[in-house]
Amino acid sequence: MTEVRVPDIGDFTDVPVIEILVAVGDAVQAEDPLVTLESDKATMDVPAPAAGTISQLRVSVGDRVSEG
């Protein structure tokens, strides 16, 4: 199992999750977008680090995340 953490998003903290692009059971390829984050200046998709199947989601739309 590979845990996906929020990558370097600059100096931003508590960035809201505005969209979840996958569901448990979905097959993804490396670099497929998983969730979309929105900072004050831009939106950013968090990509899958490797191909696989989504087994668990730990965030929901509206959650706030920071790097790591």
Side-chain angles (χ1 to χ4, degrees):
M1 181 185 328
T2 300
E3 184 173 290
V4 179
R5 295 187 176 264
V6 176
D8 180 2
I9 54 175
D11 292 332
F12 299 102
T13 58
D14 295 327
V15 177
V17 175
I18 61 167
E19 188 173 11
I20 297 184
L21 305 169
V22 295
V24 172
D26 285 357
V28 296
Q29 298 299 313
E31 300 301 316
D32 281 356
L34 303 175
V35 299
T36 304
L37 308 177
E38 183 176 54
S39 71
D40 292 338
K41 300 185 185 227
T43 60
M44 179 179 101
D45 289 335
V46 176
T53 302
I54 304 299
S55 62
Q56 181 181 29
L57 293 171
R58 293 187 175 177
V59 295
S60 300
V61 171
D63 285 356
R64 294 183 168 275
V65 297
S66 299
E67 179 180 347

Short mmCIF file of all heavy atoms in Angstrom, two decimals:
data_model
loop_
_atom_site.label_atom_id
_atom_site.label_comp_id
_atom_site.label_asym_id
_atom_site.label_seq_id
_atom_site.Cartn_x
_atom_site.Cartn_y
_atom_site.Cartn_z
N MET A 1 0.85 -1.17 0.00
CA MET A 1 0.00 0.00 0.00
C MET A 1 0.89 1.24 0.00
O MET A 1 1.87 1.32 0.72
CB MET A 1 -0.91 0.02 1.23
CG MET A 1 -1.80 1.20 1.22
SD MET A 1 -2.90 1.55 2.62
CE MET A 1 -3.35 0.04 3.30
N THR A 2 0.53 2.21 -0.82
CA THR A 2 1.24 3.48 -0.89
C THR A 2 0.35 4.56 -0.33
O THR A 2 -0.78 4.73 -0.77
CB THR A 2 1.60 3.82 -2.36
OG1 THR A 2 2.41 2.80 -2.89
CG2 THR A 2 2.33 5.14 -2.44
N GLU A 3 0.85 5.28 0.65
CA GLU A 3 0.10 6.40 1.21
C GLU A 3 0.49 7.65 0.45
O GLU A 3 1.68 7.93 0.26
CB GLU A 3 0.44 6.57 2.69
CG GLU A 3 -0.38 7.64 3.36
CD GLU A 3 -0.15 7.69 4.85
OE1 GLU A 3 -0.58 6.75 5.53
OE2 GLU A 3 0.47 8.66 5.31
N VAL A 4 -0.49 8.39 -0.03
CA VAL A 4 -0.22 9.61 -0.79
C VAL A 4 -0.33 10.79 0.17
O VAL A 4 -1.35 10.99 0.81
CB VAL A 4 -1.23 9.77 -1.96
CG1 VAL A 4 -0.96 11.06 -2.71
CG2 VAL A 4 -1.17 8.57 -2.88
N ARG A 5 0.74 11.55 0.24
CA ARG A 5 0.76 12.74 1.10
C ARG A 5 0.71 13.98 0.23
O ARG A 5 1.07 13.95 -0.94
CB ARG A 5 2.02 12.75 1.96
CG ARG A 5 2.04 11.58 2.95
CD ARG A 5 3.21 11.70 3.90
NE ARG A 5 3.17 10.65 4.88
CZ ARG A 5 2.64 10.79 6.09
NH1 ARG A 5 2.10 11.92 6.44
NH2 ARG A 5 2.65 9.79 6.93
N VAL A 6 0.29 15.09 0.81
CA VAL A 6 0.22 16.35 0.08
C VAL A 6 1.65 16.78 -0.27
O VAL A 6 2.50 16.86 0.61
CB VAL A 6 -0.48 17.44 0.93
CG1 VAL A 6 -0.47 18.77 0.20
CG2 VAL A 6 -1.90 17.00 1.27
N PRO A 7 1.91 17.04 -1.56
CA PRO A 7 3.25 17.46 -1.97
C PRO A 7 3.54 18.89 -1.55
O PRO A 7 2.68 19.57 -0.97
CB PRO A 7 3.20 17.33 -3.49
CG PRO A 7 1.76 17.57 -3.82
CD PRO A 7 0.99 16.97 -2.67
N ASP A 8 4.72 19.37 -1.88
CA ASP A 8 5.11 20.75 -1.59
C ASP A 8 4.11 21.69 -2.28
O ASP A 8 3.97 21.67 -3.50
CB ASP A 8 6.52 21.00 -2.11
CG ASP A 8 7.01 22.42 -1.86
OD1 ASP A 8 6.27 23.22 -1.24
OD2 ASP A 8 8.14 22.73 -2.27
N ILE A 9 3.41 22.48 -1.52
CA ILE A 9 2.44 23.43 -2.07
C ILE A 9 2.86 24.86 -1.76
O ILE A 9 2.04 25.77 -1.69
CB ILE A 9 1.01 23.14 -1.56
CG1 ILE A 9 0.94 23.10 -0.06
CG2 ILE A 9 0.46 21.87 -2.18
CD1 ILE A 9 -0.47 22.94 0.51
N GLY A 10 4.14 25.06 -1.57
CA GLY A 10 4.65 26.41 -1.30
C GLY A 10 4.45 26.78 0.15
O GLY A 10 4.47 25.93 1.03
N ASP A 11 4.23 28.04 0.40
CA ASP A 11 4.11 28.55 1.76
C ASP A 11 2.69 28.47 2.29
O ASP A 11 2.35 29.14 3.26
CB ASP A 11 4.60 30.00 1.83
CG ASP A 11 6.09 30.11 1.59
OD1 ASP A 11 6.80 29.14 1.90
OD2 ASP A 11 6.53 31.15 1.09
N PHE A 12 1.84 27.69 1.66
CA PHE A 12 0.44 27.62 2.06
C PHE A 12 0.21 26.52 3.08
O PHE A 12 0.81 25.46 3.03
CB PHE A 12 -0.45 27.38 0.84
CG PHE A 12 -0.35 28.47 -0.19
CD1 PHE A 12 0.39 28.29 -1.34
CD2 PHE A 12 -0.98 29.69 0.01
CE1 PHE A 12 0.49 29.29 -2.28
CE2 PHE A 12 -0.89 30.70 -0.93
CZ PHE A 12 -0.15 30.50 -2.08
N THR A 13 -0.68 26.78 4.03
CA THR A 13 -1.12 25.77 4.99
C THR A 13 -2.64 25.81 5.04
O THR A 13 -3.25 26.81 4.64
CB THR A 13 -0.54 26.02 6.40
OG1 THR A 13 -0.94 27.33 6.83
CG2 THR A 13 0.97 25.90 6.42
N ASP A 14 -3.24 24.76 5.52
CA ASP A 14 -4.70 24.69 5.62
C ASP A 14 -5.38 25.00 4.30
O ASP A 14 -6.30 25.83 4.22
CB ASP A 14 -5.21 25.63 6.72
CG ASP A 14 -4.72 25.19 8.09
OD1 ASP A 14 -4.58 23.97 8.30
OD2 ASP A 14 -4.50 26.06 8.93
N VAL A 15 -4.92 24.34 3.23
CA VAL A 15 -5.49 24.53 1.90
C VAL A 15 -6.71 23.61 1.76
O VAL A 15 -6.62 22.42 2.06
CB VAL A 15 -4.44 24.20 0.82
CG1 VAL A 15 -5.02 24.32 -0.57
CG2 VAL A 15 -3.23 25.11 0.98
N PRO A 16 -7.85 24.12 1.32
CA PRO A 16 -9.04 23.28 1.23
C PRO A 16 -9.01 22.30 0.06
O PRO A 16 -8.51 22.62 -1.02
CB PRO A 16 -10.18 24.29 1.06
CG PRO A 16 -9.55 25.52 0.52
CD PRO A 16 -8.14 25.53 1.00
N VAL A 17 -9.57 21.12 0.32
CA VAL A 17 -9.81 20.13 -0.73
C VAL A 17 -11.12 20.55 -1.39
O VAL A 17 -12.15 20.63 -0.72
CB VAL A 17 -9.93 18.71 -0.13
CG1 VAL A 17 -10.32 17.70 -1.22
CG2 VAL A 17 -8.65 18.30 0.57
N ILE A 18 -11.09 20.85 -2.70
CA ILE A 18 -12.32 21.31 -3.36
C ILE A 18 -12.96 20.23 -4.23
O ILE A 18 -14.11 20.36 -4.61
CB ILE A 18 -12.09 22.59 -4.18
CG1 ILE A 18 -11.06 22.38 -5.29
CG2 ILE A 18 -11.70 23.74 -3.27
CD1 ILE A 18 -11.04 23.50 -6.31
N GLU A 19 -12.20 19.17 -4.54
CA GLU A 19 -12.77 18.11 -5.36
C GLU A 19 -11.99 16.82 -5.14
O GLU A 19 -10.77 16.84 -5.03
CB GLU A 19 -12.71 18.50 -6.84
CG GLU A 19 -13.44 17.58 -7.76
CD GLU A 19 -13.49 18.10 -9.20
OE1 GLU A 19 -12.78 19.07 -9.53
OE2 GLU A 19 -14.24 17.52 -9.98
N ILE A 20 -12.70 15.71 -5.05
CA ILE A 20 -12.08 14.38 -5.00
C ILE A 20 -12.38 13.72 -6.33
O ILE A 20 -13.55 13.60 -6.72
CB ILE A 20 -12.60 13.57 -3.81
CG1 ILE A 20 -12.20 14.29 -2.53
CG2 ILE A 20 -12.06 12.14 -3.86
CD1 ILE A 20 -12.54 13.60 -1.26
N LEU A 21 -11.34 13.34 -7.04
CA LEU A 21 -11.47 12.88 -8.42
C LEU A 21 -11.51 11.36 -8.55
O LEU A 21 -11.65 10.85 -9.67
CB LEU A 21 -10.32 13.45 -9.25
CG LEU A 21 -10.20 14.98 -9.18
CD1 LEU A 21 -8.89 15.45 -9.79
CD2 LEU A 21 -11.38 15.63 -9.85
N VAL A 22 -11.37 10.64 -7.45
CA VAL A 22 -11.37 9.17 -7.47
C VAL A 22 -12.28 8.66 -6.36
O VAL A 22 -12.67 9.40 -5.47
CB VAL A 22 -9.95 8.60 -7.26
CG1 VAL A 22 -9.03 8.98 -8.42
CG2 VAL A 22 -9.35 9.06 -5.95
N ALA A 23 -12.59 7.37 -6.44
CA ALA A 23 -13.39 6.71 -5.41
C ALA A 23 -12.70 5.41 -5.03
O ALA A 23 -11.87 4.88 -5.79
CB ALA A 23 -14.79 6.43 -5.92
N VAL A 24 -13.02 4.89 -3.85
CA VAL A 24 -12.47 3.60 -3.43
C VAL A 24 -12.82 2.56 -4.50
O VAL A 24 -13.95 2.50 -4.98
CB VAL A 24 -13.03 3.20 -2.05
CG1 VAL A 24 -12.62 1.79 -1.69
CG2 VAL A 24 -12.56 4.18 -0.98
N GLY A 25 -11.81 1.79 -4.88
CA GLY A 25 -12.00 0.76 -5.91
C GLY A 25 -11.56 1.20 -7.29
O GLY A 25 -11.39 0.36 -8.18
N ASP A 26 -11.36 2.51 -7.50
CA ASP A 26 -10.92 3.00 -8.81
C ASP A 26 -9.48 2.57 -9.09
O ASP A 26 -8.62 2.61 -8.19
CB ASP A 26 -10.97 4.53 -8.88
CG ASP A 26 -12.37 5.09 -9.00
OD1 ASP A 26 -13.33 4.30 -9.11
OD2 ASP A 26 -12.50 6.33 -8.98
N ALA A 27 -9.21 2.21 -10.32
CA ALA A 27 -7.84 1.94 -10.77
C ALA A 27 -7.27 3.25 -11.30
O ALA A 27 -7.96 3.99 -12.02
CB ALA A 27 -7.84 0.88 -11.86
N VAL A 28 -6.03 3.56 -10.94
CA VAL A 28 -5.38 4.78 -11.41
C VAL A 28 -4.01 4.44 -11.97
O VAL A 28 -3.41 3.42 -11.60
CB VAL A 28 -5.23 5.84 -10.28
CG1 VAL A 28 -6.58 6.31 -9.80
CG2 VAL A 28 -4.40 5.32 -9.13
N GLN A 29 -3.54 5.30 -12.84
CA GLN A 29 -2.19 5.20 -13.38
C GLN A 29 -1.33 6.26 -12.70
O GLN A 29 -1.85 7.23 -12.14
CB GLN A 29 -2.20 5.44 -14.90
CG GLN A 29 -3.02 4.41 -15.67
CD GLN A 29 -2.48 3.01 -15.49
OE1 GLN A 29 -1.27 2.77 -15.60
NE2 GLN A 29 -3.36 2.06 -15.20
N ALA A 30 -0.02 6.09 -12.74
CA ALA A 30 0.90 7.08 -12.18
C ALA A 30 0.60 8.45 -12.82
O ALA A 30 0.35 8.53 -14.02
CB ALA A 30 2.34 6.69 -12.44
N GLU A 31 0.56 9.46 -12.01
CA GLU A 31 0.32 10.85 -12.40
C GLU A 31 -1.16 11.18 -12.64
O GLU A 31 -1.48 12.32 -12.95
CB GLU A 31 1.16 11.26 -13.61
CG GLU A 31 2.66 11.16 -13.38
CD GLU A 31 3.15 12.02 -12.21
OE1 GLU A 31 2.73 13.19 -12.09
OE2 GLU A 31 3.96 11.52 -11.41
N ASP A 32 -2.08 10.22 -12.52
CA ASP A 32 -3.51 10.55 -12.60
C ASP A 32 -3.85 11.46 -11.42
O ASP A 32 -3.38 11.24 -10.29
CB ASP A 32 -4.38 9.29 -12.50
CG ASP A 32 -4.47 8.51 -13.79
OD1 ASP A 32 -3.92 8.96 -14.82
OD2 ASP A 32 -5.08 7.42 -13.77
N PRO A 33 -4.67 12.50 -11.62
CA PRO A 33 -5.06 13.37 -10.51
C PRO A 33 -5.99 12.64 -9.53
O PRO A 33 -6.88 11.91 -9.94
CB PRO A 33 -5.76 14.53 -11.20
CG PRO A 33 -6.21 14.00 -12.51
CD PRO A 33 -5.25 12.91 -12.89
N LEU A 34 -5.74 12.86 -8.23
CA LEU A 34 -6.53 12.22 -7.18
C LEU A 34 -7.49 13.19 -6.52
O LEU A 34 -8.66 12.89 -6.33
CB LEU A 34 -5.60 11.61 -6.12
CG LEU A 34 -4.59 10.59 -6.62
CD1 LEU A 34 -3.68 10.16 -5.49
CD2 LEU A 34 -5.29 9.40 -7.24
N VAL A 35 -6.97 14.34 -6.11
CA VAL A 35 -7.78 15.38 -5.48
C VAL A 35 -7.34 16.74 -6.01
O VAL A 35 -6.21 16.89 -6.49
CB VAL A 35 -7.70 15.37 -3.93
CG1 VAL A 35 -8.19 14.07 -3.35
CG2 VAL A 35 -6.30 15.68 -3.45
N THR A 36 -8.21 17.73 -5.88
CA THR A 36 -7.88 19.09 -6.27
C THR A 36 -7.89 19.97 -5.03
O THR A 36 -8.83 19.93 -4.24
CB THR A 36 -8.89 19.64 -7.30
OG1 THR A 36 -8.93 18.76 -8.43
CG2 THR A 36 -8.50 21.03 -7.77
N LEU A 37 -6.81 20.75 -4.87
CA LEU A 37 -6.67 21.69 -3.76
C LEU A 37 -6.77 23.10 -4.31
O LEU A 37 -6.45 23.34 -5.47
CB LEU A 37 -5.29 21.51 -3.09
CG LEU A 37 -4.91 20.10 -2.67
CD1 LEU A 37 -3.49 20.10 -2.10
CD2 LEU A 37 -5.90 19.54 -1.69
N GLU A 38 -7.20 24.05 -3.46
CA GLU A 38 -7.32 25.43 -3.91
C GLU A 38 -6.67 26.36 -2.90
O GLU A 38 -7.12 26.48 -1.77
CB GLU A 38 -8.80 25.80 -4.09
CG GLU A 38 -8.99 27.20 -4.63
CD GLU A 38 -10.45 27.50 -4.88
OE1 GLU A 38 -11.27 27.34 -3.96
OE2 GLU A 38 -10.76 27.90 -6.01
N SER A 39 -5.60 27.04 -3.34
CA SER A 39 -4.95 28.04 -2.48
C SER A 39 -5.52 29.40 -2.85
O SER A 39 -6.40 29.51 -3.71
CB SER A 39 -3.43 28.02 -2.70
OG SER A 39 -3.12 28.57 -3.97
N ASP A 40 -4.99 30.44 -2.23
CA ASP A 40 -5.43 31.80 -2.54
C ASP A 40 -5.11 32.18 -3.98
O ASP A 40 -5.75 33.05 -4.55
CB ASP A 40 -4.76 32.81 -1.61
CG ASP A 40 -5.23 32.67 -0.18
OD1 ASP A 40 -6.32 32.12 0.04
OD2 ASP A 40 -4.49 33.11 0.72
N LYS A 41 -4.09 31.53 -4.56
CA LYS A 41 -3.60 31.94 -5.87
C LYS A 41 -3.89 30.96 -7.00
O LYS A 41 -3.84 31.34 -8.16
CB LYS A 41 -2.10 32.18 -5.79
CG LYS A 41 -1.77 33.27 -4.80
CD LYS A 41 -0.32 33.61 -4.80
CE LYS A 41 -0.06 34.62 -3.71
NZ LYS A 41 0.71 35.71 -4.08
N ALA A 42 -4.15 29.70 -6.69
CA ALA A 42 -4.30 28.72 -7.77
C ALA A 42 -4.97 27.45 -7.26
O ALA A 42 -5.10 27.23 -6.06
CB ALA A 42 -2.93 28.38 -8.34
N THR A 43 -5.38 26.61 -8.22
CA THR A 43 -5.83 25.26 -7.87
C THR A 43 -4.72 24.30 -8.28
O THR A 43 -3.93 24.58 -9.19
CB THR A 43 -7.14 24.89 -8.59
OG1 THR A 43 -6.94 24.96 -10.00
CG2 THR A 43 -8.28 25.79 -8.17
N MET A 44 -4.66 23.16 -7.60
CA MET A 44 -3.60 22.20 -7.87
C MET A 44 -4.14 20.79 -7.70
O MET A 44 -4.80 20.50 -6.69
CB MET A 44 -2.44 22.42 -6.89
CG MET A 44 -1.30 21.45 -7.08
SD MET A 44 0.04 21.78 -5.93
CE MET A 44 -0.28 20.52 -4.73
N ASP A 45 -3.88 19.94 -8.67
CA ASP A 45 -4.23 18.53 -8.55
C ASP A 45 -3.09 17.78 -7.88
O ASP A 45 -1.93 18.03 -8.18
CB ASP A 45 -4.49 17.91 -9.93
CG ASP A 45 -5.78 18.39 -10.56
OD1 ASP A 45 -6.68 18.79 -9.82
OD2 ASP A 45 -5.88 18.35 -11.80
N VAL A 46 -3.42 16.88 -6.97
CA VAL A 46 -2.42 16.01 -6.34
C VAL A 46 -2.43 14.71 -7.16
O VAL A 46 -3.45 14.03 -7.24
CB VAL A 46 -2.77 15.73 -4.87
CG1 VAL A 46 -1.78 14.74 -4.27
CG2 VAL A 46 -2.78 17.03 -4.07
N PRO A 47 -1.28 14.36 -7.78
CA PRO A 47 -1.24 13.18 -8.64
C PRO A 47 -0.93 11.89 -7.88
O PRO A 47 -0.33 11.91 -6.80
CB PRO A 47 -0.10 13.51 -9.61
CG PRO A 47 0.85 14.32 -8.77
CD PRO A 47 -0.05 15.14 -7.85
N ALA A 48 -1.32 10.78 -8.49
CA ALA A 48 -0.97 9.47 -7.95
C ALA A 48 0.53 9.24 -8.16
O ALA A 48 1.05 9.50 -9.24
CB ALA A 48 -1.75 8.38 -8.67
N PRO A 49 1.24 8.78 -7.13
CA PRO A 49 2.68 8.55 -7.27
C PRO A 49 2.99 7.28 -8.06
O PRO A 49 4.09 7.12 -8.57
CB PRO A 49 3.17 8.44 -5.83
CG PRO A 49 1.98 7.95 -5.08
CD PRO A 49 0.79 8.57 -5.76
N ALA A 50 2.01 6.38 -8.17
CA ALA A 50 2.22 5.10 -8.86
C ALA A 50 0.87 4.57 -9.31
O ALA A 50 -0.18 5.01 -8.83
CB ALA A 50 2.90 4.10 -7.93
N ALA A 51 0.88 3.61 -10.21
CA ALA A 51 -0.35 2.95 -10.64
C ALA A 51 -0.85 2.05 -9.53
O ALA A 51 -0.06 1.52 -8.74
CB ALA A 51 -0.10 2.15 -11.91
N GLY A 52 -2.16 1.88 -9.43
CA GLY A 52 -2.72 1.00 -8.42
C GLY A 52 -4.22 1.16 -8.32
O GLY A 52 -4.86 1.74 -9.20
N THR A 53 -4.78 0.67 -7.23
CA THR A 53 -6.21 0.75 -6.97
C THR A 53 -6.43 1.51 -5.67
O THR A 53 -5.74 1.24 -4.68
CB THR A 53 -6.82 -0.67 -6.86
OG1 THR A 53 -6.57 -1.37 -8.08
CG2 THR A 53 -8.32 -0.60 -6.62
N ILE A 54 -7.37 2.44 -5.66
CA ILE A 54 -7.67 3.22 -4.47
C ILE A 54 -8.33 2.31 -3.45
O ILE A 54 -9.37 1.71 -3.71
CB ILE A 54 -8.61 4.40 -4.80
CG1 ILE A 54 -8.02 5.30 -5.89
CG2 ILE A 54 -8.93 5.20 -3.53
CD1 ILE A 54 -6.69 5.93 -5.55
N SER A 55 -7.71 2.18 -2.27
CA SER A 55 -8.26 1.30 -1.23
C SER A 55 -8.89 2.08 -0.08
O SER A 55 -9.71 1.54 0.66
CB SER A 55 -7.18 0.36 -0.67
OG SER A 55 -6.15 1.09 -0.06
N GLN A 56 -8.51 3.37 0.07
CA GLN A 56 -9.05 4.17 1.18
C GLN A 56 -8.87 5.65 0.86
O GLN A 56 -7.87 6.04 0.26
CB GLN A 56 -8.29 3.82 2.46
CG GLN A 56 -8.76 4.56 3.67
CD GLN A 56 -7.95 4.18 4.92
OE1 GLN A 56 -6.78 3.83 4.83
NE2 GLN A 56 -8.58 4.25 6.07
N LEU A 57 -9.84 6.46 1.25
CA LEU A 57 -9.73 7.91 1.15
C LEU A 57 -9.76 8.47 2.56
O LEU A 57 -10.65 8.13 3.34
CB LEU A 57 -10.88 8.50 0.33
CG LEU A 57 -10.90 8.14 -1.15
CD1 LEU A 57 -12.21 8.60 -1.78
CD2 LEU A 57 -9.73 8.79 -1.86
N ARG A 58 -8.81 9.33 2.88
CA ARG A 58 -8.75 9.91 4.23
C ARG A 58 -9.12 11.38 4.27
O ARG A 58 -9.02 12.00 5.31
CB ARG A 58 -7.35 9.72 4.81
CG ARG A 58 -7.02 8.27 5.07
CD ARG A 58 -5.72 8.17 5.78
NE ARG A 58 -5.41 6.80 6.15
CZ ARG A 58 -4.31 6.44 6.73
NH1 ARG A 58 -3.39 7.34 7.03
NH2 ARG A 58 -4.10 5.18 7.05
N VAL A 59 -9.51 11.94 3.12
CA VAL A 59 -9.93 13.34 3.07
C VAL A 59 -11.30 13.41 2.41
O VAL A 59 -11.70 12.52 1.68
CB VAL A 59 -8.94 14.24 2.30
CG1 VAL A 59 -7.60 14.31 3.01
CG2 VAL A 59 -8.78 13.79 0.86
N SER A 60 -11.98 14.50 2.67
CA SER A 60 -13.29 14.77 2.07
C SER A 60 -13.27 16.19 1.52
O SER A 60 -12.44 17.01 1.93
CB SER A 60 -14.40 14.66 3.12
OG SER A 60 -14.43 13.39 3.69
N VAL A 61 -14.20 16.48 0.63
CA VAL A 61 -14.34 17.86 0.13
C VAL A 61 -14.58 18.77 1.33
O VAL A 61 -15.39 18.44 2.21
CB VAL A 61 -15.49 17.94 -0.90
CG1 VAL A 61 -15.78 19.39 -1.24
CG2 VAL A 61 -15.14 17.16 -2.14
N GLY A 62 -13.86 19.86 1.38
CA GLY A 62 -13.99 20.81 2.49
C GLY A 62 -12.92 20.64 3.56
O GLY A 62 -12.69 21.57 4.34
N ASP A 63 -12.27 19.48 3.61
CA ASP A 63 -11.15 19.30 4.56
C ASP A 63 -10.04 20.25 4.19
O ASP A 63 -9.88 20.63 3.03
CB ASP A 63 -10.61 17.87 4.51
CG ASP A 63 -11.52 16.86 5.19
OD1 ASP A 63 -12.54 17.25 5.78
OD2 ASP A 63 -11.20 15.65 5.11
N ARG A 64 -9.25 20.63 5.18
CA ARG A 64 -8.09 21.49 4.94
C ARG A 64 -6.83 20.69 5.18
O ARG A 64 -6.74 19.94 6.15
CB ARG A 64 -8.14 22.72 5.84
CG ARG A 64 -9.30 23.62 5.49
CD ARG A 64 -9.32 24.89 6.32
NE ARG A 64 -10.25 25.85 5.78
CZ ARG A 64 -9.96 26.71 4.79
NH1 ARG A 64 -8.76 26.73 4.27
NH2 ARG A 64 -10.87 27.55 4.36
N VAL A 65 -5.87 20.82 4.24
CA VAL A 65 -4.63 20.03 4.31
C VAL A 65 -3.42 20.96 4.18
O VAL A 65 -3.54 22.09 3.73
CB VAL A 65 -4.59 18.97 3.19
CG1 VAL A 65 -5.72 17.96 3.36
CG2 VAL A 65 -4.65 19.59 1.81
N SER A 66 -2.29 20.43 4.61
CA SER A 66 -1.01 21.13 4.48
C SER A 66 -0.01 20.13 3.92
O SER A 66 -0.27 18.92 3.90
CB SER A 66 -0.53 21.65 5.84
OG SER A 66 -1.46 22.58 6.36
N GLU A 67 1.15 20.62 3.52
CA GLU A 67 2.18 19.74 2.98
C GLU A 67 2.47 18.62 3.96
O GLU A 67 2.56 18.83 5.17
CB GLU A 67 3.46 20.55 2.72
CG GLU A 67 4.59 19.70 2.17
CD GLU A 67 5.85 20.52 1.91
OE1 GLU A 67 5.79 21.76 1.92
OE2 GLU A 67 6.89 19.89 1.72
N GLY A 68 2.60 17.41 3.43
CA GLY A 68 2.91 16.25 4.25
C GLY A 68 1.67 15.60 4.81
O GLY A 68 1.67 14.59 5.42
#
